[in-house]
Amino acid sequence: MSVLLIVCLSFAAQAIDTGRSNLNMRPGVSGISNQVYDLHMLMFYVCIAIGVVVFTFMFYSMVVHRKSKGAKAANFHENLTVEVVWTIVPFVILIFMAVPAAYTLIDMEDVSKPDVTVLVTGSQWKWHYKYMDNDVEYFSVLATEQGQIRNQLTKTQNYLLEVDRPLVIPTGKKIRFLITSDDVIHSWWMPDFAIKKDANPGFINEAWTNVNSPGVYRGQCAELCGKDHGFMPIVVVAKEPAQYDAWVAEQEAIAQRARDEEQRLLSMNMSMDELMSQGEKVYGAVCAACHMPNGEGLPGVFPALKGSALALEDIPGHIRIIVEGSPGTSMASFAKQLTMSEIAAVVTYERNAWGNDTGDIVQAKDINAIMYGKE
């Protein structure tokens, strides 16, 4: 028993020393996460104190009142004093624990007066971020190479925890997150912010943070949202306010240029070579993970595009499944993630790659006609 107690205490000591051990909760980088950590440690110390008292009395009784020393068990029934004590003492301890917990919970739910509001939308298997105060929105998708996932390449330090476009927030500002979903239940989990909120379709949950230090912070979806649940990471980059403002201005300018370019492409035709070149890049970035680089898909899981009726015959249907997705399947809508010219390019590529060779050319104006009912 003494050996077991020593082992337990050694683990407890390691857990307390966060600088030397990963056993404990991390303090985080925001005021709320620090509050949560302090509350956790307070409860931890209370539990240690209760354990020390209980085990001290237990071991004392076992040693001093053992039968070999001639001790005889008392024979009594009911003891008002003992019953009052073991009712009042736990009640007092619970109140002592409940008061700081209630203050922390109230602070965690106080999303009033934010400086920045971000709409976070989960979908299989990516996150969409929309800055409600600025003209900035984009998807954030897993950036880990497929070769690493298939054990063909050496895995990097941030394997499955890296994205193409991280969420960017300013330091020293109150950031409110409005969290929802396009399809199934996801969960936006950022340990360094002490945030874990479900993203439910048709509902909006709220959370907030105020990050103290610039840096890169990583989390992931913490809800089993489908077969690729493990490929839905979260990366947040906290920048100084001046750097954040410059980033927002740059993103708004990029978005405006993209809209202008989209309008320009609607009035012109791209060549087959241009469409195939761009389509190959788009396919490799967003389609190859499911339908495979060779277009043969995964039998029984993801349909093949090579030699398929969809890619050989039905052009409007081919466009619609990319624009609208396919309800009840893993095929999500890419209307927000890809521009009309990118959709036109990838449709053209899929209809002419891997020996499909239909000769079909799809332009941005064809996508526009399908999306806005002008076909």
Side-chain angles (χ1 to χ4, degrees):
M1 292 295 290
S2 60
V3 173
L4 178 60
L5 182 60
I6 291 172
V7 171
C8 292
L9 289 176
S10 67
F11 272 106
Q14 288 182 351
I16 293 173
D17 186 357
T18 57
R20 293 190 295 108
S21 172
N22 291 322
L23 295 175
N24 199 13
M25 175 186 288
R26 64 181 74 179
V29 294
S30 67
I32 282 294
S33 66
N34 289 327
Q35 275 186 255
V36 171
Y37 175 78
D38 291 341
L39 180 64
H40 158 75
M41 292 308 299
L42 174 62
M43 303 309 168
F44 179 72
Y45 292 134
V46 169
C47 291
I48 287 180
I50 293 173
V52 169
V53 171
V54 170
F55 277 97
T56 298
F57 274 105
M58 185 177 73
F59 290 138
Y60 174 82
S61 300
M62 292 168 62
V63 172
V64 175
H65 300 291
R66 65 187 186 273
K67 184 177 180 180
S68 62
K69 292 190 67 173
K72 294 183 179 180
N75 184 12
F76 63 90
H77 180 67
E78 296 183 358
N79 186 306
L80 180 61
T81 301
V82 172
E83 292 184 0
V84 169
V85 169
W86 73 33
T87 300
I88 292 179
V89 170
F91 177 78
V92 172
I93 293 174
L94 287 174
I95 293 298
F96 173 75
M97 298 168 73
V99 171
Y103 279 115
T104 299
L105 286 172
I106 290 171
D107 288 343
M108 290 177 70
E109 297 299 325
D110 180 16
V111 296
S112 62
K113 299 179 181 179
D115 298 301
V116 177
T117 300
V118 181
L119 176 63
V120 179
T121 305
S123 58
Q124 295 176 309
W125 286 273
K126 50 187 173 283
W127 297 99
H128 181 263
Y129 300 122
K130 181 176 182 179
Y131 292 74
M132 307 302 289
D133 308 304
N134 305 99
D135 186 20
V136 177
E137 60 178 302
Y138 54 87
F139 280 91
S140 181
V141 182
L142 175 72
T144 299
E145 296 180 65
Q146 288 297 312
Q148 294 181 39
I149 296 173
R150 299 192 184 103
N151 295 318
Q152 297 167 346
L153 298 173
T154 302
K155 292 176 172 56
T156 57
Q157 179 182 358
N158 294 316
Y159 174 69
L160 296 186
L161 289 175
E162 50 198 345
V163 298
D164 58 347
R165 299 189 67 182
L167 175 66
V168 179
I169 60 173
T171 57
K173 303 286 186 180
K174 186 172 184 177
I175 317 298
R176 178 176 64 163
F177 302 107
L178 306 176
I179 302 171
T180 187
S181 169
D182 274 341
D183 39 45
V184 300
I185 299 176
H186 302 277
S187 185
W188 203 77
W189 178 46
M190 278 299 301
D192 285 315
F193 301 168
I195 293 177
K196 182 180 178 293
K197 284 286 186 177
D198 280 353
N200 298 309
F203 295 88
I204 293 180
N205 284 325
E206 294 180 297
W208 71 277
T209 192
N210 189 330
V211 178
N212 303 323
S213 306
V216 179
Y217 307 105
R218 302 179 189 274
Q220 56 195 144
C221 177
E223 188 71 35
L224 188 58
C225 57
K227 67 169 286 294
D228 284 339
H229 154 72
F231 302 154
M232 198 169 169
I234 303 163
V235 180
V236 179
V237 176
K239 296 177 177 285
E240 295 286 357
Q243 294 178 323
Y244 170 79
D245 291 339
W247 177 85
V248 168
E250 179 186 10
Q251 296 304 307
E252 289 180 326
I254 291 172
Q256 185 58 52
R257 288 197 298 270
R259 286 191 291 269
D260 294 341
E261 178 66 9
E262 193 76 4
Q263 290 302 311
R264 184 184 72 83
L265 292 173
L266 286 175
S267 61
M268 65 173 289
N269 291 327
M270 297 176 68
S271 68
M272 173 67 85
D273 289 342
E274 291 173 323
L275 288 166
M276 289 295 288
S277 176
Q278 184 179 15
E280 184 177 13
K281 294 177 183 177
V282 174
Y283 183 86
V286 301
C287 308
C290 295
H291 298 288
M292 300 294 104
N294 58 12
E296 294 180 358
L298 289 174
V301 182
F302 299 111
L305 296 174
K306 179 181 179 179
S308 69
L310 179 72
L312 295 176
E313 300 170 9
D314 187 6
I315 295 179
H318 195 168
I319 295 172
R320 280 196 184 92
I321 200 167
I322 296 176
V323 170
E324 300 172 2
S326 179
T329 72
S330 298
M331 181 62 189
S333 167
F334 286 86
K336 293 181 179 179
Q337 187 172 346
L338 300 176
T339 65
M340 284 185 278
S341 59
E342 288 173 333
I343 295 174
V346 78
V347 171
T348 300
Y349 176 77
E350 291 173 354
R351 301 185 73 81
N352 292 281
W354 320 301
N356 285 347
D357 300 332
T358 64
D360 295 332
I361 293 179
V362 179
Q363 302 290 349
K365 60 187 177 184
D366 301 319
I367 311 303
N368 185 67
I370 295 289
M371 290 179 66
Y372 297 102
K374 299 177 182 178
E375 56 176 327

